[in-house]
Structure formats: C-alpha cells, structure tokens
Amino acid sequence: MSLVNSSLQNLEARRGEETLSNYAAASIRLGHKETNNSARKSVIVGCLLVGLAMTIYLLQSRSDQPEKLQTRATTQELPNSDQPVIVKLSALIQEPSASEKSLRVHPQSPHAIAEKQQAVTPELIENTVTLLLASAAAALKSDRLITPENTSAKNYYQQALLLQPDNQTAQQGLKNIATRYAELARNQFQKGLIEPALKLIALGLTVEPNDPELLILRSEIEASPEPIDIQNNPPGNTTIAQQIPAASLSVQPSNAGLDNRQLKLAKDKVASGDVDGAIRDLEQLASTGEIGKNSTRLLANLYLQQQRPLDAEKLIQQQTALSQAEAAYLIARAQVQADNLAGALATLESQPPLIQDYPDYYSLLAGIYQQGGQYRQAVAIYKRLSQLQPETYTHWLGLAAGLDSLREPTALAAFRKVLPMIPEQQSELKHYIRQRLEQLSIQ
C-alpha cells in the first residue's frame, strides 16, 4: 500500500513540471526514433499509477472514516498541452442518510478487507511495471540515462522498484545504466579528455555507487599522467634535469643489496627444511627495523603458509617497505585466511591499483566478490583479467563460474574455453566442468 502511495506522491510532486510538448522537443534534439512511443507510454504509466493510488485512497476514505467527506477527482487539460494532470476538487460534504448508514460496511469487516484486496490486483501492478520497464528500455536505448529526470531510464527503473522491490529486470537495468556510463567515459578517456571522462564516471556512480567497472576506470584515469600542454611548455624549452627538483637529483644509498642477501639466506634455510629457522631470522630483522621489502614479503608468505594470518597482518601493518597496494594485498590474504571476508573486501576496495599493474590484487578481489555472492562485480573483473592474461586458466574459470551463477547463456562458451586449459592433474575440476557443459547444452 505504501509503495503505491509513494508512487502517487512522486507523480503529484512532479505535476506540471514537464509537458509532452517539452518532452517531444527534447527528444527531437536527441534525434531518437523512440520518443513518441516513450511519451505515450509515460502518460499511460502515469495514469495507471494514479488510478491505482486513487482507488486505494477512495476505499480508505469510505471504509476508515465513514462519517467524513468523500472526495472526487477529475482531469483538467493544461493550457497548450496534451498531457492530462490529475487535480483534486473541493470536497463535497454530505450527511449520509439513515439508510446509507445502515448499508455501510465496517472498515475491519471481512467484506471491507476483501473489497480493498480486489481493488488492487496483482495484474494491475504487473501491467504497470511492464509499461515502466518498456519505457525504461527505450530511454536506455536512447541514452536518456538520468536526464530528463521524469523520462529517464533511471527514473522508470526506480518507479518499477517502488512497486516491485525484487524485480530483477529493474535491478539489472540500473546496472546497465552504470555500464553505459563506463563505456562513454572510456571513450572520452581514450581521446585524452580526462575531465569529461571523470564527470561521466561520477554520474554513473550516482546510479550504482559500487559498480566495479566504474571504480576501476576511475582508478586508471586518476593514476594516468597529466596530458602535456604543448603550447605553454613547447619541447626544447627546458632540459629534463631542469624539470626535476634539485632534491631528487641526490644519490640515495640503497639497501637492495642487503635485502637480497637476507632473502637468499632465508630461502636457503627454507629449501633445507628449516622453515622455523628462516622465520626466526626474519623476525629478528623485523624487530630491529632492518628488514627489506623482499624479506618482508617472504616472511608474510611464510606466516600464511603456516596458517598464522594474525602474525602476517601485524607484520605488514608495522612495516613501511612495501607499497600500499602490496601491503593491502597481503593483509587481505591474511583476512581471508582468518574468515574475515568483509574486512578483506574493505581493504582491497580502499585504494585499488591499476589492474594491469597488479592482476593478482584484482584476482583476489574477484574471488571475494564471487564467494560473497556478488557475481556481477566478479564477472566484470574476470573479463578484464582474461583480456590481460588470456593464458591464465583461473581467470576464465572464475568468469565461467560467475556467468553460470547469473544464469547467463555465455557461461557455456566460457566453460568450453577453459576446459582444455585445466591441468590434467586436476581431474576433479575437469570432471565438474564437463558435467556443467553437458547440463548447459541440454537447457
């Protein structure tokens, strides 16, 4: 009941803001063929929503307040417009006669309840949602993504979700809007138009704040070098040395040699079977603050191999030798091992690197998405990973599993792609994929 009333309030709040003539003019400017059909659908949808809500309102007025006034509604033509707008007339106060009072149905009686239920039928709601989804699809096709506000794809999908909150088509429609913004932003970015690309990404995030494709693209753009202004800084004006701050020209002592020697000693102990001895040596270095980046990485991995995620996380948090991305990756691995998926997801989503710079980082992120049932986010990442590293079978396997969970028909092709890539020793995995291929081929 409240969903329908919310729809009525939304419609009445926008009453008079936009006429069909304005809508038609905007559509002509866009140059799309679907405009007239969309306009007619928007009028039909509006009338159905208002009719549905007014029916409930009148029934409530008659049954819950039997001694009060009754309201009538009519339509009135706006000047110079073909769009009807619902307007309420002044109430007519009439004292009911004794015979009318005797015929009134008590608001809580079974007859009154049945009357209300019959007035708002599932068929009426279903038809309204169908029209909303059709209008949304036309708007999306015409790139009316979030504007004009009243006739945009976003608005139609949100109206459908008001009536049916679990409608998967409407939920997917909002994700499709975000995907379209990602396409438009990438086109701008490839042309070197940084600011327009970032603005398009910001618009897409207003529809789907956690869309992985938009977030990844934003990270790539923000990390890209600033375009050179040829007019203000023509080549040959300054030398490279003049462009570098003087402080950065000084030679800094490197600890890389010491770090490599520490690493070799620790690896030799591991190879000889003395893993505990290697860990003790590296822990001693860590306690004195003299442990290098490579040795820190090895110690963290040894902790994880021994199922000591808390020690690994504590080590990474205390050391500054690793980059932010690598530190986040190792901490997230430790959190996953400690069954803290929410913490791992928050760690990886905080400051993600470029996907081409750190594929393992995004492979872990996609796996967490997959395990948490966020299949669309996982699929978006696995698609990118399979393009960057087409010979890595785990990317294709993750993509196939995600598509399969989403009931996407392309899952069949993904499973066919990955089957010959699976190593022969993983016989159980190959058997599972063959089973899925057989089942999907029948469906």
Side-chain angles (χ1 to χ4, degrees), residues 140 145 157 169-183 207-208 211 376:
L140 181 61
L145 304 179
Y157 284 131
T169 302
Q171 292 172 354
Q172 179 59 40
L174 293 176
K175 292 182 174 63
N176 292 340
I177 295 174
T179 299
R180 178 56 179 157
Y181 270 117
E183 294 174 357
V207 182
E208 286 290 305
D211 183 77
R376 296 199 180 280

Side-chain angles (χ1 to χ4, degrees), residues 341-353:
L341 288 182
L345 184 59
T347 299
L348 294 174
E349 287 182 336
S350 58
Q351 289 183 329

Side-chain angles (χ1 to χ4, degrees), residues 144-409:
R144 286 183 285 114
L145 304 179
I146 64 174
T147 57
E149 181 180 357
N150 292 347
T151 56
S152 66
K154 175 184 176 183
N155 179 63
Y156 287 132
Y157 284 131
Q158 288 179 338
Q159 289 293 328
L161 289 172
L162 282 175
L163 294 174
Q164 291 182 349
D166 297 329
N167 189 285
Q168 294 184 357
T169 302
Q171 292 172 354
Q172 179 59 40
L174 293 176
K175 292 182 174 63
N176 292 340
I177 295 174
T179 299
R180 178 56 179 157
Y181 270 117
E183 294 174 357
L184 296 171
R186 189 171 293 281
N187 290 338
Q188 295 294 307
F189 178 46
Q190 290 172 350
K191 296 176 184 177
L193 303 174
I194 304 299
E195 288 301 321
L198 289 175
K199 288 180 180 179
L200 288 167
I201 290 173
L203 291 174
L205 291 175
T206 63
V207 182
E208 286 290 305
N210 296 318
D211 183 77
E213 190 172 2
L214 288 171
L215 294 174
I216 292 171
L217 180 57
R218 185 177 66 180
S219 175
E220 292 179 7
I221 294 175
E222 290 176 345
S224 64
E226 291 290 334
I228 299 175
D229 189 344
I230 300 298
Q231 294 181 351
N232 296 329
N233 297 285
N237 270 14
T238 57
T239 65
I240 294 177
Q242 289 173 326
Q243 297 176 25
I244 301 175
S248 64
L249 294 176
S250 60
V251 178
Q252 301 293 331
S254 174
N255 293 325
L258 178 60
D259 184 27
N260 288 333
R261 286 195 296 273
Q262 295 170 351
L263 180 67
K264 183 178 185 307
L265 291 173
K267 283 188 173 181
D268 288 344
K269 284 197 173 184
V270 171
S272 66
D274 188 9
V275 176
D276 292 337
I279 291 177
R280 282 194 300 269
D281 291 347
L282 293 174
E283 286 177 337
Q284 178 63 30
L285 291 171
S287 66
T288 61
E290 297 178 358
I291 189 169
K293 177 175 65 175
N294 294 325
S295 300
T296 301
R297 186 186 303 115
L298 175 60
L299 179 56
N301 281 299
L302 291 175
Y303 279 147
L304 293 174
Q305 289 175 13
Q306 291 197 342
Q307 300 295 312
R308 296 167 61 181
L310 297 181
D311 289 334
E313 187 173 353
K314 182 179 178 181
L315 170 70
I316 301 303
Q317 289 174 343
Q318 291 176 346
Q319 302 302 319
T320 59
L322 300 177
S323 66
Q324 279 188 328
E326 188 165 18
Y329 171 71
L330 290 171
I331 289 175
R333 283 182 57 195
Q335 290 171 326
V336 169
Q337 197 174 93
D339 293 328
N340 184 11
L341 288 182
L345 184 59
T347 299
L348 294 174
E349 287 182 336
S350 58
Q351 289 183 329
L354 297 178
I355 190 170
Q356 61 266 29
D357 292 344
Y358 211 151
D360 288 347
Y361 188 103
Y362 282 89
S363 180
L364 178 61
L365 177 59
I368 294 174
Y369 278 140
Q370 196 100 297
Q371 193 170 349
Q374 297 176 268
Y375 302 117
R376 296 199 180 280
Q377 290 89 331
V379 164
I381 295 176
Y382 281 129
K383 283 182 179 179
R384 295 291 309 281
L385 290 173
S386 62
Q387 294 169 355
L388 290 171
Q389 298 176 330
E391 302 303 320
T392 305
Y393 78 88
T394 53
H395 301 334
W396 289 102
L397 181 61
L399 177 60
L403 293 171
D404 193 18
S405 298
L406 291 171
R407 301 289 193 271
E408 294 286 348

Side-chain angles (χ1 to χ4, degrees), residues 9-201:
Q9 291 170 3
N10 290 337
L11 290 170
E12 289 186 345
R14 299 197 299 268
R15 173 163 53 93
E17 290 181 1
E18 180 178 349
T19 63
L20 284 182
S21 59
N22 291 336
Y23 171 76
S27 299
I28 291 172
R29 287 195 296 270
L30 291 172
H32 297 293
K33 298 179 181 181
E34 293 86 356
T35 301
N36 293 332
N37 289 335
S38 298
R40 287 194 294 270
K41 289 177 180 177
S42 65
V43 174
I44 296 172
V45 170
C47 292
L48 278 173
L49 284 172
V50 173
L52 183 62
M54 287 301 298
T55 301
I56 298 171
Y57 172 77
L58 291 175
L59 285 173
Q60 287 178 327
S61 176
R62 184 176 65 181
S63 60
D64 297 340
Q65 301 178 9
E67 303 302 329
K68 295 184 179 181
L69 57 88
Q70 297 186 15
T71 304
R72 295 184 300 176
T74 185
T75 60
Q76 174 177 303
E77 296 287 332
L78 285 178
N80 302 321
S81 172
D82 297 328
Q83 184 178 7
V85 178
I86 298 297
V87 295
K88 293 182 179 179
L89 299 179
S90 59
L92 300 179
I93 303 176
Q94 295 180 349
E95 179 65 21
S97 63
S99 59
E100 289 175 332
K101 289 181 179 180
S102 64
L103 292 174
R104 283 201 186 278
V105 180
H106 191 273
Q108 301 304 324
S109 69
H111 296 290
I113 295 174
E115 186 178 6
K116 290 182 182 181
Q117 292 175 343
Q118 291 173 2
V120 186
T121 62
E123 290 78 12
L124 180 57
I125 293 177
E126 186 66 33
N127 291 339
T128 304
V129 170
T130 299
L131 286 174
L132 282 167
L133 295 178
S135 298
L140 181 61
K141 186 177 180 181
S142 301
D143 272 347
R144 286 183 285 114
L145 304 179
I146 64 174
T147 57
E149 181 180 357
N150 292 347
T151 56
S152 66
K154 175 184 176 183
N155 179 63
Y156 287 132
Y157 284 131
Q158 288 179 338
Q159 289 293 328
L161 289 172
L162 282 175
L163 294 174
Q164 291 182 349
D166 297 329
N167 189 285
Q168 294 184 357
T169 302
Q171 292 172 354
Q172 179 59 40
L174 293 176
K175 292 182 174 63
N176 292 340
I177 295 174
T179 299
R180 178 56 179 157
Y181 270 117
E183 294 174 357
L184 296 171
R186 189 171 293 281
N187 290 338
Q188 295 294 307
F189 178 46
Q190 290 172 350
K191 296 176 184 177
L193 303 174
I194 304 299
E195 288 301 321
L198 289 175
K199 288 180 180 179
L200 288 167
I201 290 173

